[in-house]
Amino acid sequence: MSEREQAEKPEKNEQAEKTAEADEATTELDRAGSTERRPPVEATAPRPATPERPEQPRLRDVGGTLADYLRGRAAVVAGLARRHRGVAVALALVACAVVALLGVALFRALEVPDSATVEADARAALAAPDYTAGTYGTDTTLVAQDVDVRSVRRAETAPEGAAAQFGAAGYATADVVVSYAGQSVRADQGATLSYALVDGAWQLVPGVANEGVTWYATAGVDQDKVLSNTHLLLARADEESPAEPALAELYANAAVSVESKTFDEEAQTDTLEIVCARTESFETYECRLTVTFSFNQTNGQWSVSGVEASDNARERNLDALLGTWTGAFQSQQTEGGKCLAAREGGLSVEVLGASVGEEAVTLSGYVGGVAHYHANPGDDATSCEGDVAFEEVQFTARLVSDDGSLVFLADLPEDVGGTSTLTLRFGSEDDPGAASAEVVTTYVYDDAILFIPYERTATYADSFTLQRAE
């Protein structure tokens, strides 16, 4: 083949290629313009066209025509791309670069600090909230536990309250909740962190906006604090149910203890059963307080929401007097010669019951001793005719004084020779643990002066110290 033929061959091939593409395009256009009519289905065949009602194009025909047209245009574009490959590649590269640049710009426009960064910054920037346990709470130190990143938002300008940063390409804010835990309490502190994008890196803007703290009790009140402030609870009970004597005074020096407690974490309440016991040598008082504490989630402190005292809180308990007591003779008071028969006879008192009522306080039991049913001897005597020993004489003694000591008085049943009374005394100002008894015998007899008869009365008061019989 000659050089001319070799030179003309590419031109011919190129001319033939153009002619084929033109024919292909023409064929595609011609085929797009043709409409194939198919025999209609009898059940859905349209009515024949008339001059009054020309035939309407069908949707399937229009869709087919449009598809053929689009395939033809795509073929033309493909042909142009094959003829101008270099230009097409360049345009494609430019388009990719534009898309990449738009993507980078969009990413930077939407970019925010990641959660790990925000969490670390929150731990470093936020300090534990101040905590005051108050009168009934547990003193503790709060330690950061968890950080919950609630949201991170992009901003074009510095957030409100934050200073603009030099060279910043953007700003962002992050809402976080930091949880702190201590003994029996937890705190959730909300805060907003501000960021500035400087030199492609997010920097925390100084200044953190605290959104407040919510407190949550994970355990009940401090029992030691409650017990040391029982006087406040007793005073609260007096306010809610006034009566005499006041509980705050009656149990001023009482022993207190917590008998039971019920902590309701969901309701944020703590209920304690507190026992106040006032124990003296011969009497006791007991008050049972039911105290409900409520936790304030705003300030993190416990407060008293209700106090109820037991019904018998003001009643004395005399069970310490029950039992058998023996009396040792001490002395006798009389207006003449003494009869000391009680020194040998002694005294025994058996207290079987104690009754505390609104009207009276009584002791009941049996007593045994010596009664003097005779006139006073001329001189002191160890015994006299008319001394009567009595045993297991029933008595009921009534409380007549409780000013520093408990004093009970009983009239013993009348005897043939006279009458006797029994006085029991428990405690004294000098010795709260002392116990004593006194038996007073009254004997009435006839006497005469210058042969004039008259009645005389001899009275003997025998005193004893009492001790419990072993």
Side-chain angles (χ1 to χ4, degrees), residues 113 117-118 121-122 159 170-174 193-197 202-205:
T117 299
V118 174
D121 290 340
Y171 296 91
T173 57
L193 308 180
S194 299
Y195 288 88
L197 184 61
W202 288 104
Q203 298 180 1
L204 182 64
V205 177

Side-chain angles (χ1 to χ4, degrees), residues 315-445:
E315 294 180 4
R316 56 168 41 100
N317 186 313
L318 299 176
D319 289 348
L321 301 180
L322 302 181
T324 301
W325 301 80
T326 59
F329 179 79
Q330 296 297 310
S331 63
Q332 183 184 83
Q333 299 293 326
T334 186
E335 293 181 353
K338 297 179 180 181
C339 178
L340 303 179
R343 181 169 56 187
E344 296 296 331
L347 182 72
S348 65
V349 179
E350 185 178 7
V351 181
L352 299 179
S355 175
V356 179
E358 294 181 0
E359 300 296 330
V361 178
T362 61
L363 297 178
S364 59
Y366 295 90
V367 61
V370 176
H372 305 279
Y373 298 143
H374 56 79
N376 289 95
D379 296 317
D380 293 346
T382 56
S383 63
C384 299
E385 185 179 353
D387 290 333
V388 177
F390 58 88
E391 295 180 356
E392 296 186 354
V393 175
Q394 189 173 5
F395 73 89
T396 298
R398 181 186 181 95
L399 181 66
V400 294
S401 175
D402 60 355
D403 185 14
S405 62
L406 301 176
V407 181
F408 294 86
L409 176 63
D411 292 325
L412 301 182
E414 186 175 1
D415 204 347
V416 175
T419 60
S420 299
T421 62
L422 171 66
T423 301
L424 300 175
R425 187 184 307 271
F426 298 96
S428 66
E429 293 183 359
D430 296 333
D431 186 0
S436 62
E438 185 179 65
V439 177
V440 177
T441 302
T442 302
Y443 172 70
V444 179
Y445 63 94

Side-chain angles (χ1 to χ4, degrees), residues 11 38 77 118 127 169 174 219 241 245 257 294 313 337 353 392 403 428 441:
E11 294 178 1
R38 298 181 181 179
V77 173
V118 174
S241 299
S257 61
S294 296
E392 296 186 354
D403 185 14
S428 66
T441 302

Side-chain angles (χ1 to χ4, degrees), residues 250-251 276-278 283-287 313-317:
L250 187 60
Y251 293 94
C276 304
R278 172 184 167 182
E283 63 178 339
T284 60
Y285 292 85
E286 182 177 280
C287 174
R314 293 176 173 84
E315 294 180 4
R316 56 168 41 100
N317 186 313

Side-chain angles (χ1 to χ4, degrees), residues 150-175:
R150 297 291 177 87
S151 65
V152 184
R153 303 178 302 277
R154 183 65 184 266
E156 295 302 324
T157 59
E160 183 179 355
Q165 302 297 301
F166 178 76
Y171 296 91
T173 57
D175 294 329

Side-chain angles (χ1 to χ4, degrees), residues 88-240:
V89 171
L91 291 175
L93 293 176
V94 171
C96 291
V98 171
V99 171
L101 291 175
L102 290 175
V104 171
L106 180 61
F107 174 77
R108 289 185 175 178
L110 300 177
E111 182 186 7
V112 293
D114 60 84
S115 297
T117 299
V118 174
E119 179 178 345
D121 290 340
R123 290 181 180 275
L126 295 177
D130 294 332
Y131 175 61
T132 302
T135 305
Y136 304 107
T138 302
D139 296 321
T140 185
T141 300
L142 299 178
V143 179
Q145 297 291 320
D146 301 321
V147 178
D148 182 10
V149 180
R150 297 291 177 87
S151 65
V152 184
R153 303 178 302 277
R154 183 65 184 266
E156 295 302 324
T157 59
E160 183 179 355
Q165 302 297 301
F166 178 76
Y171 296 91
T173 57
D175 294 329
V176 300
V177 175
V178 183
S179 297
Y180 299 86
Q183 185 179 358
S184 77
V185 71
R186 190 186 78 217
D188 293 336
Q189 178 174 331
T192 299
L193 308 180
S194 299
Y195 288 88
L197 184 61
V198 179
D199 295 333
W202 288 104
Q203 298 180 1
L204 182 64
V205 177
V208 178
N210 290 325
E211 304 297 337
V213 181
T214 300
W215 300 90
Y216 188 81
T218 57
V221 296
D222 186 324
Q223 295 188 29
D224 291 336
K225 281 190 174 182
V226 171
L227 294 179
S228 64
N229 289 285
T230 304
H231 62 284
L232 300 178
L233 304 177
L234 292 168
R236 175 71 176 268
D238 287 329
E239 292 177 2
E240 296 189 1

